Amino acid sequence: MTHTKKQFDVIVIGAGFAGMYAVYRLRKLGFSVQAIEAGGDVGGTWYWNRYPGARCDVHSLEYSYQFSEELQQEWNWSEKYAAQSEILDYARHVADRFDLRKNIQFNTRIQAMLFNEASCIWELTTQDGEEFQARHCIMATGCLSMNNVPDFQGLESFKGEVFHTGNWPHEGVDFSGKRVGIIGTGSSAIQAIPIIAEEAGSLTVFQRTAGFSVPAQNEAMDKTYEAQIKFRYQKFRQENFNRFAALNNNPNPISALGISDEEREATFEGRWQTGGLSFLASFNDLATNIDANRTASEFVHKKIHQIIDDPKIADLLCPPTILGCKRLCVDTGYYKTFNRTNVKLIDVSANPIEKVTTHGIKTNAEEYDLDILILATGFDAMTGALLSIDIQGVDGLTLQEKWQGGPKNYLGLSVSGFPNFFTITGPGSPSVLANMIVAIEQHVDWIADCLIYLRENSLSRIEAQQHDEEQWVELVNQIAGQTLYADGCNSWYTGANIPGKSRVFMPYLGFPSYVEKCKSVAANNYTGFKLN
Ligand code: N01
């Protein structure tokens, strides 16, 4: 079958929150824009991750767009932390409200992208052989969108059902009376386990490394608080924009070590009762001083022992690692689930999984019969979705070749050798260590300003300079090196969760300083970029 090539000024790949806003913003500026989305509707991560208990751990009033005052005033969230279905409803509402779907092609996966140097145009091909052309490409492919399915021997032979939390069936899963096994104890598993345990006949949790979790203390939206925020929404947003992670997490500007044990304990207890990620901001040195960090991890260990009836299970649930080094989890009733008689915790670091059999899982100590197996095994984060596309820049250089030793780019936005190619919340930008929607809007706005600059100056090509790219990568690493996070554990921030992936700390730490750098580059006629 032959197809005609559809041509646009800009092609956006992905229609999650990043792709949707890119379509809105660029269309308004008069660019012809088309988004290509693999899923059947908008919503990105919230479209795919429909496992039981999926919920955001950033406050609803902050995890939402701020580009439209009417939208942020008129939309009402029902809970402090919105559930997946409500966030997806919100995404659909935004798509309807701004008529975004007319510029999005769904159920279409981009397979290859090639930069044609002579015409200075990107040529894109879908899995079905459809072809597109665009002057600029914006990768809104998400940071946690490429599922990690470990290479378990025998996985295909399992006779029961297998689900990955990151690709959950739309119709849901009936667990009633079933023997369910779940591999992994990261954020996804920690949210799913309490709910599945209530429904399943039995739930066996295969844990390799215990994860730190703090209670969400989720509740119905406080209408008075909501009214107060909406009264001064723009100012509230601006205040958060200037915070380290673009979040209102109430940072305590003192060290954990300079106060009495009682004061420290009271602070941790207060944060525990408030709930959520603000636990990380209990003191100003938890991310940088191992002794300060130990006070936080010991507090959580003590809580785990208070909640769990069996001290041996409590010991297994106490993470041996640095708190915050792997992303802190936020839960509702996670630890107490292990007091249930139908829940079993299996330590697969002591007794590794040997294989998946036709009937369940075999560790080197025992066999577990299962009807349903859930892989809560996470993602090939930050680079996985980008590298799953065959992207070819100048002189035939592929992104896979360029990033063999880890991602290299400038400002987390642009890759040398790949002109007119932008990544939203890519590696080298605050992304997953900031409020994602704020980071997305900042990136899209920066790219939109850049495209206007090119248009106004009759320029057709922009590309990061290699020298500036190298300096940027060094800066990102240098900042991460000042924390306990760069080498302190095997986190997905560093790629260490994927066998064979180069180990590099990928996010840029510190939203405000990042924004300043982006602004200064633009104000200086895009210093660090080659333009022509
Ligand atoms: O994935 P993860 P996730 N054998 O990588 C285990 C965001 N998110 O989907 O630690 C046995 O954190 C692995 O064990 P180990 C959030 O940013 C947000 O849970 O490598 N086990 C680990 O326990 C989060 O950080 C929200 O030893 C294996 C688990 O699988 C990110 O998504 C909710 C294994 C993977 O944990 C990812 O979270 C959900 C193997 N071969 C997700 N391979 C909220 O907003 C992996 N594991 C609240």
Side-chain angles (χ1 to χ4, degrees):
M1 188 164 49
T2 53
H3 296 278
T4 47
K5 294 182 184 175
K6 297 181 189 156
Q7 296 178 341
F8 299 91
D9 294 333
V10 185
I11 285 192
V12 177
I13 298 161
F17 282 103
M20 289 165 71
Y21 181 50
V23 166
Y24 168 83
R25 187 82 165 78
L26 296 175
R27 193 177 66 186
K28 218 168 169 196
L29 291 168
F31 293 102
S32 67
V33 55
Q34 173 76 31
I36 313 278
E37 164 60 51
D41 200 359
V42 295
T45 201
W46 303 103
Y47 174 88
W48 298 103
N49 288 262
R50 299 172 188 233
Y51 60 83
R55 184 178 290 287
C56 190
D57 58 9
V58 173
H59 282 205
S60 308
L61 288 163
E62 298 179 46
Y63 191 84
S64 47
Y65 287 124
Q66 55 190 295
F67 68 81
S68 159
E69 180 61 11
E70 293 76 20
L71 170 66
Q72 67 178 5
Q73 288 297 337
E74 288 168 25
W75 181 265
N76 295 314
W77 296 102
S78 67
E79 293 177 277
K80 178 159 92 173
Y81 296 108
Q84 170 271 334
S85 58
E86 192 170 16
I87 303 174
L88 190 56
D89 284 348
Y90 171 75
R92 289 178 176 145
H93 167 81
V94 173
D96 290 341
R97 184 176 185 127
F98 300 103
D99 197 12
L100 300 180
R101 288 192 187 85
K102 72 174 180 204
N103 297 98
I104 305 173
Q105 180 167 323
F106 294 104
N107 302 307
T108 308
R109 193 176 280 280
I110 294 294
Q111 184 169 287
M113 300 171 53
L114 182 131
F115 184 69
N116 182 328
E117 279 218 75
S119 57
C120 193
I121 291 281
W122 279 98
E123 296 176 356
L124 300 92
T125 314
T126 71
Q127 255 177 2
D128 298 331
E130 200 177 347
E131 293 181 305
F132 294 86
Q133 291 184 331
R135 170 76 69 204
H136 298 278
C137 283
I138 299 181
M139 307 305 287
T141 40
C143 295
L144 295 158
S145 48
M146 175 55 62
N147 295 341
N148 170 36
V149 177
D151 189 15
F152 292 121
Q153 192 197 328
L155 185 57
E156 343 63 56
S157 71
F158 181 58
K159 294 268 193 286
E161 293 175 291
V162 183
F163 304 105
H164 192 288
T165 48
N167 187 13
W168 202 258
H170 290 200
E171 63 282 7
V173 177
D174 180 8
F175 293 108
S176 45
K178 302 270 173 61
R179 295 164 303 175
V180 182
I182 184 164
I183 302 177
T185 49
S187 297
S188 304
I190 279 175
Q191 290 185 324
I193 283 168
I195 295 176
I196 297 172
E198 279 178 15
E199 201 187 320
S202 66
L203 177 63
T204 308
V205 178
F206 298 91
Q207 170 184 276
R208 189 166 66 181
T209 315
F212 278 105
S213 190
V214 296
Q217 314 288 18
N218 189 30
E219 58 193 8
M221 177 61 74
D222 175 338
K223 291 288 164 195
T224 312
Y225 176 71
E226 183 184 20
Q228 281 167 359
I229 296 298
K230 286 193 171 178
F231 183 69
R232 54 186 292 276
Y233 223 151
Q234 285 182 20
K235 192 153 185 289
F236 177 71
R237 297 287 201 180
Q238 193 52 49
E239 286 160 6
N240 292 341
F241 200 77
N242 295 325
R243 295 179 195 276
F244 189 81
L247 285 173
N248 183 20
N249 63 358
N250 190 20
N252 184 3
I254 63 167
S255 162
L257 303 175
I259 54 172
S260 70
D261 291 352
E262 293 72 27
E263 284 173 293
R264 188 187 314 110
E265 185 80 2
T267 301
F268 284 136
E269 184 62 34
R271 299 272 169 162
W272 185 270
Q273 295 308 332
T274 303
L277 293 173
S278 83
F279 191 83
L280 285 172
S282 302
F283 295 100
N284 68 1
D285 49 359
L286 299 186
T288 51
N289 182 314
I290 190 73
D291 295 325
N293 192 283
R294 199 169 294 120
T295 65
S297 58
E298 283 171 3
F299 176 86
V300 179
H301 289 178
K302 200 177 71 192
K303 283 287 184 193
I304 294 171
H305 273 274
Q306 282 167 5
I307 298 168
I308 304 283
D309 299 335
D310 179 342
K312 283 201 193 109
I313 301 288
D315 279 343
L316 275 183
L317 288 167
C318 284
T321 47
I322 292 163
L323 184 140
C325 186
K326 288 189 175 183
R327 193 178 185 282
L328 184 62
C329 303
V330 176
D331 71 276
T332 299
Y334 175 63
Y335 290 120
K336 73 173 191 206
T337 300
F338 291 92
N339 292 332
R340 295 178 66 104
T341 52
N342 70 334
V343 176
K344 226 190 249 171
L345 181 65
I346 307 302
D347 175 9
V348 295
S349 64
N351 296 113
I353 295 172
E354 267 182 6
K355 60 177 177 179
V356 178
T357 67
T358 50
H359 291 95
I361 284 188
K362 183 174 181 321
T363 68
N364 67 5
E366 219 172 310
E367 263 190 81
Y368 302 88
D369 284 350
L370 304 170
D371 302 308
I372 297 177
L373 174 59
I374 299 170
L375 303 175
T377 44
F379 303 91
D380 182 353
M382 307 201 71
T383 56
L386 291 164
L387 293 176
S388 72
I389 303 171
D390 177 17
I391 303 173
Q392 217 176 103
V394 295
D395 296 332
L397 179 71
T398 66
L399 196 62
Q400 282 90 342
E401 287 160 352
K402 166 104 190 184
W403 283 7
Q404 224 163 36
K408 291 194 177 79
N409 62 15
Y410 181 45
L411 300 178
L413 272 164
S414 171
V415 187
S416 136
F418 296 78
N420 299 355
F421 175 88
F422 300 95
T423 51
I424 300 186
T425 61
S429 79
S431 58
V432 292
L433 287 174
N435 179 344
M436 283 297 284
I437 301 200
V438 177
I440 282 167
E441 286 185 313
Q442 184 261 342
H443 262 186
V444 171
D445 289 341
W446 190 94
I447 294 166
D449 289 346
C450 175
L451 296 186
I452 295 166
Y453 180 89
L454 297 177
R455 185 166 68 185
E456 286 176 352
N457 291 283
S458 305
L459 296 162
S460 54
R461 180 171 162 152
I462 179 164
E463 181 186 348
Q465 311 231 40
Q466 200 172 339
H467 167 75
D468 297 82
E469 178 175 89
E470 281 162 13
Q471 284 194 335
W472 183 257
V473 173
E474 221 178 283
L475 176 69
V476 175
N477 282 304
Q478 188 204 323
I479 297 171
Q482 293 162 12
T483 72
L484 304 167
Y485 296 172
D487 301 315
C489 61
N490 292 326
S491 73
W492 58 257
Y493 297 145
T494 66
N497 65 325
I498 302 294
K501 187 165 173 174
S502 296
R503 194 170 171 143
V504 179
F505 191 87
M506 294 182 277
Y508 178 102
L509 280 159
F511 187 71
S513 70
Y514 174 78
V515 171
E516 277 318 303
K517 289 191 166 67
C518 290
K519 273 190 189 156
S520 136
V521 165
N524 289 296
N525 299 322
Y526 295 90
T527 172
F529 287 95
K530 265 183 285 184
L531 304 170
N532 46 48

